[in-house]
Structure formats: structure tokens, C-alpha cells
Amino acid sequence: MTDDAVPGRIVVSGLHKTFGHFEAVTDLSFTVEPGRITGFLGPNGAGKTTTLRMLLGLIHPTRGTATIGGARYVDLPHPTQTVGASLEANFHPGRTGRNHLRVLAAAGGIPDERVDEMLHLVGIPAAANKAAGGYSMGMRQRLGLAGAMLGDPQVLVLDEPANGLDPEGIRWLRQFLRHLAGEGRTILISSHLLSEVEHTVDDVVIIANGRSVRSGPMEEIRGEPKVLVRTPNAGLLVEALTARGVQSATDPDGTVHAVTGDLALIGDTALAAGVAVHELRTEQADLEALFFELTEAPENANRNLGAAS
Ligand SMILES: Nc1ncnc2c1ncn2[C@@H]1O[C@H](COP(=O)(O)OP(=O)(O)OP(=O)(O)O)[C@@H](O)[C@H]1O
């Protein structure tokens, strides 16, 4: 079995898509692993949906490949049982949630019993007989998810699944996706914001203007843990930390940032050096700032915004 053929592994390789002269996706490569939740991130117009559409065989790449378990979507022997997807919530407004799922089940050769099971699974059984046109955004998201889960797929691809969910809905979605990943499924979700999915995803692929700008496990993206210390005697503290092999940097206002996750080490070092500590806490990585830094660097300025050319 080649690496690409690992069941449930998504491999995007040199993927490229042009619309006329416009390059929507440029030489994009990444891998999505089974048993993990991967965030596919980028600002509006970055090329996320175009990439997902190529992965799902809805549009043809100009060059490159996107495979699931080693096969292109169109070549999968049992596509609905291999990949479940929810791209844009596209419902017939007059059709009930149950009937919407029945149509999908019939098209995918999936037994009808799955329909009510899925409505329960996503927490909207009471809405089964209500027209989908009257669903709230959160209910539509859940219906989309029910549709994606109908074939009990190994791989789940969801475009902006958190969009329109209230905080309880977001917590529910996180637990739901974690459970599915725990069963060994591959979960790929897109989002506009790293900070929106930071507690949900294990890995990220960040794109801007159709190109990859960063990818890797969340721990790597967050960077090394840091401890923030406010003290009236920063100089002495930094000296004591250096003597213990702990790197640190000092802001102009005297705030010290030590490169360690060990709060006790910093507290003990300060005590031993006779340095007063006014504040001591773990510093969270500013993921929102990092995301903007990556996606709004001058070379990545959003091609969809600004003056008409
Ligand atoms: N069929 C098409 N014809 C022409 N241009 C297109 C087409 N589909 C997408 N594009 C362009 O390709 C770029 C990427 O669009 P895409 O929808 O993939 O971005 P996205 O990252 O999903 O954005 P959003 O977060 O806003 O949904 C955009 O500039 C868009 O206008």
C-alpha cells in the first residue's frame, strides 16, 4: 500500500485551479490524517471552497490531484460510504428535513432507517417534519451534518460547520467531531478564523490567495509555551532566569516573557533571587494575531479586496 492509499487519508498534491485567467488555487499540497480533526483555514476568497469542490469531484483541477485513500473521488467504488460532505446548505425550502435526507439516502443507496437515526444524532428529531426553509442557521448546519453522516463515511468534509451556531451549538459540534475522530474518521473542516476552531482542531492548513502559508499540528502553530511575569525588578529576574537556562525577553514596560510552561520554576527562581512578583501567568498564543500575520502579509494581501483592476 502506498502512503496515499492509507484508508481515510486525504492527499492534495500540486493542486491548481484557474477560472479564465484567475488563479483561484495555486500549487496547493497538504495531507489530512485519519483520526484527527484538521482545520482548513483562510480569509474570504482564499480558495477553500474551490479546493473542497475539487476534492469532492465537483469541479476538475487545472492540474494536480486530490485523493481520498489513494483514489480520486470520482474513482471511489462507494463514494457516499467513503466521504460525507456538507458544502453550502442547499435545501429545497418547502421540503421537510426528513424528506431532504430521504432524497439523499435514496440517491446514495442508503437504507431509509438511517434518516431518523441521523436526525437524532445531530439533535433535531423534533424538526423532522418541518420545512427546511423555516430552519434557523444552526438547524440547517445540523441538517447538513446529518446528510453528510448518512452513509456512515470514513471521511467527513464540512465547509464552515460552525457558521451560525450559538455557543452551545459550537460546543456540541466540537464534542460531536471529537467523538467521530476518536472512531478513526478523518475530519476536515473549513473556517475563516484560526481562533474560531483552535479548541476543535488537531492540525491546520492555512491558505491565502490560493496558496498554502502554514500547516502543521496546533501545538506547533501555538509555539513554545510562555510565562508572563510582571515585576518591578525585571533586570534581576532575567539574570536569574538566564543562570537557570531559561530564555526570556523584556518589554519596554518591564514585563518579562519567559520561554517555558513551568510557572513554579519561574516563581521559585524569583523567590531565590529576592525579586517581587506582581503577576505570574501562562501566556496564551495570540492566534488571531498570528492568523492575520500569516494571511495579511504584504505578499498575501487579499486579492479579492481593494480597488477594481
Ligand atoms: N466558478 C468560478 N468562476 C470564477 N471565479 C471563481 C469561481 N469560483 C470561485 N471563484 C473565485 O476563486 C476565489 C476563491 O473562491 P473560494 O470560494 O474558493 O474561496 P473561499 O476561501 O471558500 O472563500 P469564502 O470563505 O468567502 O467562502 C475567489 O476569488 C472567487 O471569486
Side-chain angles (χ1 to χ4, degrees):
M1 191 191 297
T2 65
D3 277 2
D4 290 9
V6 169
R9 177 177 285 165
I10 297 173
V11 178
V12 168
S13 180
L15 205 60
H16 200 92
K17 181 69 186 175
T18 53
F19 293 110
H21 293 295
F22 182 75
E23 278 188 18
V25 172
T26 305
D27 198 23
L28 190 59
S29 300
F30 61 87
T31 303
V32 180
E33 295 295 343
R36 294 177 75 82
I37 305 175
T38 300
F40 186 39
L41 310 169
N44 285 134
K48 302 182 295 296
T49 307
T50 303
T51 303
L52 298 183
R53 289 171 71 82
M54 287 191 274
L55 175 65
L56 297 167
L58 297 168
I59 52 173
H60 291 293
T62 308
R63 338 186 258 280
T65 54
T67 59
I68 299 156
R72 293 181 311 154
Y73 184 91
V74 289
D75 298 328
L76 289 171
H78 307 288
T80 50
Q81 284 140 49
T82 309
V83 191
S86 176
L87 289 196
E88 51 276 328
N90 213 351
F91 310 118
H92 187 298
R95 194 174 278 160
T96 65
R98 179 180 280 130
N99 283 341
H100 167 74
L101 294 182
R102 277 193 174 143
V103 171
L104 290 182
I110 295 159
D112 216 36
E113 304 89 78
R114 285 287 291 174
V115 166
D116 280 343
E117 279 173 36
M118 290 307 101
L119 288 166
H120 270 96
L121 188 70
V122 302
I124 54 167
N129 294 320
K130 202 173 155 183
Y135 280 20
S136 69
M137 183 72 174
M139 286 161 71
R140 270 182 275 169
Q141 286 285 21
R142 287 176 192 240
L143 185 59
L145 203 48
M149 286 298 295
L150 269 177
D152 195 15
Q154 154 84 35
V155 176
L156 207 53
V157 177
L158 307 171
D159 202 7
E160 308 269 353
N163 218 358
L165 292 183
D166 59 16
E168 163 52 24
I170 288 175
R171 193 176 59 171
W172 171 84
L173 178 70
R174 182 176 301 147
Q175 288 167 352
F176 184 72
L177 296 181
R178 181 56 56 204
H179 175 77
L180 295 174
E183 293 176 332
R185 298 180 210 248
T186 311
I187 316 287
L188 180 61
I189 60 172
S190 74
S191 173
H192 292 110
L193 272 181
L194 179 53
S195 49
E196 184 181 79
V197 296
E198 65 167 305
H199 301 299
T200 305
V201 302
D202 303 306
D203 300 313
V204 293
V205 173
I206 306 178
I207 64 169
N209 292 333
R211 293 171 189 270
S212 171
V213 291
R214 184 86 185 257
S215 59
M218 263 318 280
E219 307 93 77
E220 239 172 59
I221 303 290
R222 279 204 182 90
E224 291 180 283
K226 286 203 183 112
V227 168
L228 177 148
V229 196
R230 281 189 218 286
T231 166
N233 206 335
L236 205 54
L237 178 64
V238 168
E239 242 175 64
L241 288 174
T242 308
R244 288 206 176 189
V246 178
Q247 286 184 339
S248 61
T250 310
D251 289 344
D253 71 356
T255 305
V256 176
H257 305 273
V259 185
T260 172
D262 191 346
L263 286 169
L265 171 67
I266 305 296
D268 292 347
T269 305
L271 181 67
V275 170
V277 169
H278 295 172
E279 186 179 357
L280 177 65
R281 63 176 161 87
T282 306
E283 260 188 294
Q284 302 297 329
D286 187 345
L287 293 177
E288 188 169 306
L290 174 69
F291 184 71
F292 287 134
E293 207 176 286
L294 288 169
T295 58
E296 293 186 353
E299 67 276 18
N300 295 329
N302 195 331
R303 61 196 170 177
N304 298 286
L305 305 177
S309 52

